[in-house]
Amino acid sequence: MKRLWQVGIIGADARAEMLADPLWPSRRSRIAGWAAGPDDEAAAAALAGRIGLTLTPTWEAIAADPNLDALLVLGSDHRDAVLAGLAAGKTVLWPSAAIYDRSDWNRIASLQATGGRLFAPGELRFTPAGRYTLDRAVGGELGKLHSVYIGLRAPRSSARTAAISLLREGLEFALGMAPEPVRRIHAVAQSLFGDSKPDTVVCTLRFADDLVVTIEASQCLPATIPAGGPAEAEIEVVGALEVVRAEPYKTPVHRFGDQDHAVHPWVSQPVRVMLDALGDHLDGAAQLTDGAGHQARIADLMEAIRSAAADGLGSWNRA
Amino acid sequence: MKVVRVGLIGCGGIAKRAHLPAMAHLTDRLRLVATADINAAAAQEAAAPWGATAYTDYTAILERKDVDMVLIATPEFLHRDQVVAAAEAGKQILCEKPMAPSLAEADDMLRACQRAGVRLMIGHSRRFTRRYLEVRQAIDRGEIGEVRLGRENERRPRPPVPRQGGTASALQARSEGYWIAGHWTSDPKLSLGTALTNGIHEMDLLRWFTGAEPVAIAAEHNITVQGNPGVPDFLSFMIHFDNGAIGSAEIANCIPPSYPAFHQFELYGNAGAIRAKDQELLSITHYRDDGADFPDSSHILLHHLAAYVREQAAFIQAMQTDSAVPLAPENGRAALELALAAVESARSGKVVRLGPAGKGGRTA
């Protein structure tokens, strides 16, 4: 019988709230500890209590705990916890990774060299609809790919870095089916709904094989439009033969009780699948699929998009 | 009110699908008296139900004293000569979009109509579509505040791709036959591609809804429809407006015929949002052995016919009440300017900067 791996959780954001659903534990691992991230200790205590864990007082303690095999870091702003876990030689699963440019990635890569391992695959890729879409696109069922549209919409009230995180999700997804180098990028990033921080990024990426990927990531949803998950996601992959259209976060689980009606988005499922993959990795049965080259590629593209959008609508061309 | 006597120039696809059916709804205010097309059979077919006279040379219509208005439903590369000639003949002119294939030709059209004192309206039909009229009215009422972000993705069916052992099926009828060999839309000498054929609609709508002027546009285009010999039929573009707003769209013309939708429209203001996504509005789905079908969904959802009825009625009303047309032709020029800039951007790989807001944009 395979070993059940011990996982510690750091973070208590909205995504963690969804994951605390009693259905969530993976077949390959179990949660052994929960700590607040740098944010909300009370929320972490409540979440830990819901699944019968004692709250670990500090995230540093979880990151350094020798009894834990891996860390699951929930929240995009918990970079220090990720770095501490990697420095302690742990495998770190960071679903909403905040690796936004090459310098971020270089720092992580140097820590990986000492034995830590980051698994930051992007949630969208691991949703059921996302996996279905990627499988068909990569498997050739759609014919030669002509275009990919990825629309990602987050509530205006979400964290101020949400648009950038969504852009990264979009890139993760697109690169899952686009192996060729990017030749050109057009991009614009703008604060449209709030303060001066960009809350909207629109970009097109033209790949060497002429595939055009359009990503629009925006914190544009007013409070009256519930995202139903971390964001709304609309994906259309157009091939010469067929089209796949998917809305990966739009298929929630509804639970009806005497007193209330709870909606659980699919967001817990991708993390369960990731935890299974993590367990297989720790067993040595499978390699994680987001290798260093992939992460470096995303970091470079994030930087290229930033450079294209530095002064309004602009372009980046591969030298 | 006097019934307006209409001459129809061009009796091909858009005339058959939209303008002639719309005219049939307006028999109380217009009468089709003449038609013209280089294809004599098409001209005759259009003329017959009205007892109109069919010609193969449009100038014959312009010579007739009993024609008050011409409706020009030809490809854009013919518009300049036809509009200028019609203006010089004193006819009122409703002309299909896009206005022309170049700003120089558009300016010739504007000058000729101004000189002759005749009305010119460019038929940007979506401005007369119920869905978009409602949107504009909601914006005017302040219901979503200032428009900050807009997107409309447009999806149009391609002809079915023959596959081994497969059949074309009844869905084949859905394709409009654009972008295939032999059709002018796929001839690089005659067409600049989807930026002018489809994308110009989205460009016009985004400009209308934001109420702002574009300062920059970037675009990518591709050839995707099998059998298209050389004109871009796919476009993805983004526009930056002078008030900071962003508009964008992706137009794909190689969608399998069973795809249910036409438009995915989203508009976000600083005080709310409006969305109209065809997929969410479908009411009929037929499930067959080889897939699902959504009968006439695009026509129902776009209210295709009603838009053209409204467009023609608005033009005729301007004539009958001796007032200005509801959509000034300069809007057609502004949309054309954007479409041409999108082509330039897609060809060069560079962002195209547009003239300062309020200064009339780029010159020809």
Side-chain angles (χ1 to χ4, degrees):
Chain A
M1 186 177 167
K2 288 180 180 174
R3 185 184 155 196
L4 204 54
W5 299 100
Q6 309 294 307
V7 178
I9 295 185
I10 297 174
D13 70 356
R15 197 171 276 97
E17 172 75 35
M18 296 168 189
L19 284 165
D21 187 294
L23 293 170
W24 86 269
S26 148
R27 69 183 167 83
R28 297 292 303 113
S29 52
R30 73 177 186 84
I31 300 176
W34 201 314
D39 44 21
D40 189 343
E41 190 172 338
L47 292 172
R50 271 171 64 181
I51 55 172
L53 292 175
T54 306
L55 180 69
T56 302
T58 66
W59 61 263
E60 289 90 342
I62 285 239
D65 185 342
N67 297 315
L68 294 175
D69 302 296
L71 299 178
L72 169 57
V73 177
L74 300 169
S76 58
D77 55 349
H78 297 357
R79 180 187 311 246
D80 290 344
V82 171
L83 297 175
L86 292 172
K90 289 197 164 40
T91 297
V92 179
L93 172 54
W94 195 15
S96 49
I99 308 168
Y100 297 146
D101 57 32
R102 192 60 195 238
S103 63
D104 283 346
W105 171 248
N106 288 344
R107 196 163 165 211
I108 287 167
S110 67
L111 287 173
Q112 290 202 129
T114 63
R117 176 75 168 89
L118 178 68
F119 183 32
E123 288 173 343
L124 212 48
R125 273 171 53 187
F126 279 81
T127 57
R131 284 187 292 152
Y132 177 95
T133 305
L134 285 174
D135 285 350
R136 268 67 191 172
V138 173
E141 287 178 40
L142 311 186
K144 177 183 168 15
L145 299 185
H146 289 316
S147 63
V148 178
Y149 169 72
I150 302 174
L152 301 162
R153 312 269 182 255
R156 290 178 194 181
S157 59
S158 43
R160 292 166 77 232
T161 54
I164 307 301
S165 299
L166 289 176
L167 173 65
R168 191 179 191 286
E169 279 285 346
L171 287 171
E172 273 280 7
F173 193 87
L175 294 190
M177 66 186 110
E180 298 290 324
V182 173
R183 265 177 30 210
R184 180 167 64 235
I185 294 172
H186 296 309
V188 60
Q190 185 96 15
S191 170
L192 297 179
F193 304 100
D195 58 20
S196 57
K197 196 101 175 165
D199 53 29
T200 300
V201 183
V202 186
C203 61
T204 57
L205 295 85
R206 177 176 280 274
F207 288 75
D209 60 357
D210 279 335
L211 171 68
V212 175
V213 173
T214 302
I215 302 175
E216 189 166 275
S218 179
Q219 293 171 248
C220 59
L221 296 183
T224 44
I225 302 180
E232 280 187 346
E234 190 172 282
I235 296 170
E236 285 199 349
V237 183
V238 178
L241 297 176
E242 294 184 4
V243 171
V244 170
R245 174 181 168 76
E247 296 182 57
Y249 291 132
K250 208 178 179 179
T251 315
V253 174
H254 292 261
R255 296 176 66 207
F256 300 94
D258 288 345
Q259 306 300 325
D260 60 3
H261 163 214
V263 182
H264 296 270
W266 278 109
V267 70
S268 59
Q269 175 145 350
V271 177
R272 276 205 296 276
V273 177
M274 289 177 204
L275 282 169
D276 286 346
L278 185 72
D280 291 342
H281 166 74
L282 292 170
D283 282 343
Q287 290 297 308
L288 298 178
T289 54
D290 65 331
H294 174 75
Q295 290 298 336
R297 192 179 176 211
I298 290 179
D300 285 346
L301 286 175
M302 295 285 285
E303 204 155 279
I305 291 168
R306 180 178 290 122
S307 122
D311 185 23
L313 174 54
S315 303
W316 171 91
N317 284 277
R318 185 170 294 282
Chain B
M1 288 283 189
K2 184 185 163 208
V3 169
V4 171
R5 297 162 299 181
V6 180
L8 174 65
I9 299 175
C11 303
I14 194 67
K16 276 188 196 167
R17 283 195 310 276
H19 287 296
L20 286 162
M23 285 181 193
H25 284 255
L26 296 169
T27 51
D28 61 330
R29 61 197 85 180
L30 70 78
R31 195 168 83 247
L32 183 65
V33 297
T35 65
D37 198 292
I38 53 170
N39 178 341
Q44 188 56 49
E45 187 186 339
W50 296 82
T53 309
Y55 303 97
T56 53
D57 180 352
Y58 75 90
T59 59
I61 290 183
L62 304 184
E63 288 165 8
R64 284 179 60 154
K65 300 287 182 233
D66 64 343
V67 172
D68 306 307
M69 159 195 168
V70 290
L71 198 165
I72 297 177
T74 53
E76 62 266 23
F77 58 87
L78 298 172
H79 287 176
R80 192 253 308 264
D81 289 353
Q82 292 172 342
V83 166
V84 169
E88 288 171 352
K91 309 301 183 194
Q92 310 293 320
I93 306 160
L94 172 56
C95 178
E96 253 304 318
K97 51 60 57 180
M99 189 174 186
S102 72
L103 290 178
E105 290 176 56
D107 288 340
D108 286 348
M109 293 159 67
L110 288 171
R111 277 193 294 268
C113 291
Q114 201 170 29
R115 215 166 32 235
V118 299
R119 289 175 187 79
L120 170 65
M121 188 167 95
I122 306 302
H124 281 276
S125 57
R126 294 201 193 156
R127 293 234 194 177
F128 297 92
T129 304
R130 168 70 64 199
R131 168 188 292 195
Y132 302 116
L133 286 167
E134 294 281 357
V135 171
R136 183 62 245 182
Q137 286 160 11
I139 294 168
D140 290 342
R141 291 191 296 266
E143 290 176 5
I144 63 167
E146 182 181 302
V147 174
R148 306 297 292 149
L149 176 68
R151 167 170 286 277
E152 179 171 84
N153 283 354
E154 177 169 333
R155 305 286 183 249
R156 290 197 183 227
R158 57 159 167 74
V161 176
R163 295 205 223 186
Q164 200 170 17
T167 57
S169 93
L171 295 174
Q172 186 158 11
R174 201 84 72 66
S175 169
E176 292 174 346
Y178 284 8
W179 317 111
I180 54 176
H183 195 276
W184 69 268
T185 49
S186 61
D187 182 344
K189 292 194 222 54
L190 302 178
S191 172
L192 290 169
T194 197
L196 273 74
T197 307
N198 313 124
I200 198 165
H201 279 304
E202 279 74 23
M203 294 165 196
D204 179 54
L205 287 177
L206 289 166
R207 189 173 158 266
W208 189 34
F209 291 146
T210 58
E213 291 300 333
V215 292
I217 183 167
E220 293 284 1
H221 65 197
N222 265 336
I223 296 172
T224 64
V225 176
Q226 199 174 60
N228 177 351
V231 174
D233 53 50
F234 165 86
L235 182 75
S236 180
F237 72 82
M238 62 193 88
I239 302 172
H240 207 189
F241 288 93
D242 60 2
N243 65 352
I246 298 171
S248 55
E250 191 194 67
I251 295 103
N253 280 294
C254 69
I255 303 300
S258 66
Y259 186 91
F262 199 149
H263 291 149
Q264 297 151 49
F265 173 75
E266 302 169 80
L267 206 58
Y268 299 93
N270 56 14
I274 296 175
R275 307 202 292 194
K277 299 189 175 188
D278 287 356
Q279 294 91 340
E280 295 167 1
L281 307 174
L282 293 169
S283 58
I284 303 171
T285 304
H286 289 177
Y287 296 96
R288 302 182 329 253
D289 287 347
D290 59 346
D293 191 13
F294 310 86
D296 294 325
S297 60
S298 61
H299 296 285
I300 292 168
L301 295 166
L302 191 60
H303 298 290
H304 185 75
L305 176 61
Y308 286 88
V309 171
R310 219 172 273 123
E311 177 185 297
Q312 291 178 11
F315 187 83
I316 287 168
Q317 187 181 18
M319 287 176 65
Q320 290 175 329
T321 58
D322 196 22
S323 51
V325 293
L327 179 57
E330 287 76 12
N331 289 291
R333 187 195 190 278
L336 174 64
E337 181 182 12
L338 272 170
L340 293 171
V343 173
E344 184 184 331
S345 170
R347 286 178 172 171
S348 68
K350 294 176 180 166
V351 172
V352 173
R353 312 279 165 199
L354 298 160
K359 303 280 187 192
R362 295 191 309 166
T363 59

